[in-house]
Amino acid sequence: MPAPERIPAGSVSADPVTLLTRGELTVRGRIREASNAVLYCTVSYEGEETACVYKPVAGERPLWDFPDGTLAGREVAAYEVSRAIARDGWDLVPPTVWRDGPYGEGMCQLWIEASDGTELLALVDGDEPGEGWKAIGFAQVDEDRTALLVHADDVRLRRLAVLDAVINNGDRKGGHLLTAEGRLHGIDHGVTFNAEDKLRTLLWGWAGEPLPEEALEALGTLRDALKEGADLAERLAGLITPAELDATRARVAALLSSGRHPEPGGDWPPIPWPPV
């Protein structure tokens, strides 16, 4: 399949979830950099059209450490959690739905065309990150040089760090951060919600620090939304396993109890590779 010709996402008046769920899905090409099948598509409904990403379950490669469920199901689950706390600035995952398509069932997500030159990650010389930045760790730049990898001390990234702690994101890389029109979008959430601690992220700059009040409020909302019988809990039950759902509830409770951002721990590598 040829590389896709990009189609402007544009603005649509229809609800994006309705458009993604009910629209006619047309495959335009394959995004070849991805390890699983990622298809660049358009979706058309009632005279409106926009670009989207379609990841069919049939194109997934099995993962030994995620033996249950599907990558596509976890992508949709990540959106559902984000949507449950979609107050100002917290709608961090693009609209994502479960649907049938040309290659079977999978996830369909609104395409985000990065249009903002905001610098969120950088490599700096020296041992300190500098004003406005948070240190992640040292990286080998070349044979003779190491540099400090840093991320911006940005409220949007901090919110995403909280969301990642909730969904137990095992692969928060720099390439999964998109900014457009001042908004931050996190994408690629296939390796999330594991019942074991697998948090791997570049967003460790706030590790151990007290959670801001807005994060505690968002976590309180999630705690209620995840109660048995609540709408979010019912939706997640169709996307992740019962053990993963219970573990998600436990992570929210632990964050509320500690009142702090999590710190790296255990045997799981804390930073994904490659980081970008």
Side-chain angles (χ1 to χ4, degrees):
M1 183 176 292
E5 177 185 352
R6 294 289 189 264
I7 297 164
S11 59
V12 293
S13 59
D15 170 43
V17 172
T18 301
L19 187 59
L20 292 170
T21 304
R22 300 183 183 178
E24 180 181 357
L25 192 62
T26 302
V27 177
R28 303 293 183 180
R30 179 171 182 173
I31 299 173
R32 297 190 178 278
E33 309 92 80
S35 55
N36 295 283
V38 179
L39 303 176
Y40 182 76
C41 305
T42 54
V43 62
S44 305
Y45 180 68
E46 294 187 344
E48 296 199 86
E49 181 179 88
T50 194
C52 61
V53 172
Y54 163 51
K55 299 182 182 180
V57 172
E60 295 180 5
R61 297 179 182 178
L63 297 175
W64 68 267
D65 51 340
F66 284 81
D68 302 314
T70 65
L71 304 181
R74 289 189 283 271
E75 293 249 28
V76 180
Y79 168 67
E80 292 290 351
V81 170
S82 176
R83 184 169 72 159
I85 50 174
R87 61 194 75 196
D88 293 343
W90 283 88
D91 48 344
L92 296 162
V93 180
T96 312
V97 304
W98 182 274
R99 63 163 293 167
D100 200 5
Y103 296 99
E105 291 188 325
M107 75 79 129
C108 187
Q109 183 176 84
L110 189 69
W111 177 265
I112 301 297
E113 191 71 52
S115 59
D116 190 331
T118 303
E119 190 175 23
L120 299 175
L121 298 167
L123 285 167
V124 298
D125 293 318
D127 298 331
E128 297 297 329
E131 186 176 356
W133 296 91
K134 291 282 191 178
I136 303 168
F138 287 96
Q140 191 77 33
V141 178
D142 53 43
E143 193 173 315
D144 304 327
R145 177 181 170 231
T146 60
L148 186 63
L149 181 62
V150 299
H151 66 68
D153 188 3
D154 186 308
V155 65
R156 301 170 301 172
L157 286 181
R158 191 166 192 173
R159 290 168 182 153
L160 190 60
V162 174
L163 177 64
D164 282 343
V166 169
I167 66 177
N168 197 17
N169 193 346
D171 196 32
R172 176 59 73 203
K173 297 176 179 177
H176 301 164
L177 305 172
L178 304 178
T179 53
E181 299 179 351
R183 288 184 55 189
L184 174 69
H185 305 268
I187 62 169
D188 284 352
H189 297 108
V191 287
T192 51
F193 292 100
N194 201 295
E196 300 178 7
D197 180 14
K198 293 188 180 292
L199 183 60
R200 290 198 304 171
T201 176
L202 289 177
L203 305 181
W204 286 117
W206 299 280
E209 292 186 15
L211 290 164
E213 186 61 33
E214 67 163 9
L216 295 172
E217 291 176 2
L219 290 166
T221 298
L222 276 180
R223 176 185 55 198
D224 295 339
L226 288 167
K227 289 180 179 177
E228 192 168 346
D231 287 345
L232 176 61
E234 293 294 315
R235 291 195 296 272
L236 292 184
L239 298 165
I240 59 177
T241 69
E244 289 168 339
L245 181 52
D246 285 343
T248 303
R249 294 184 178 113
R251 288 191 296 272
V252 171
L255 287 166
L256 283 167
S257 178
S258 73
R260 294 182 176 274
H261 286 272
E263 298 183 77
D267 298 327
W268 193 249
I271 296 176
W273 187 262
V276 177

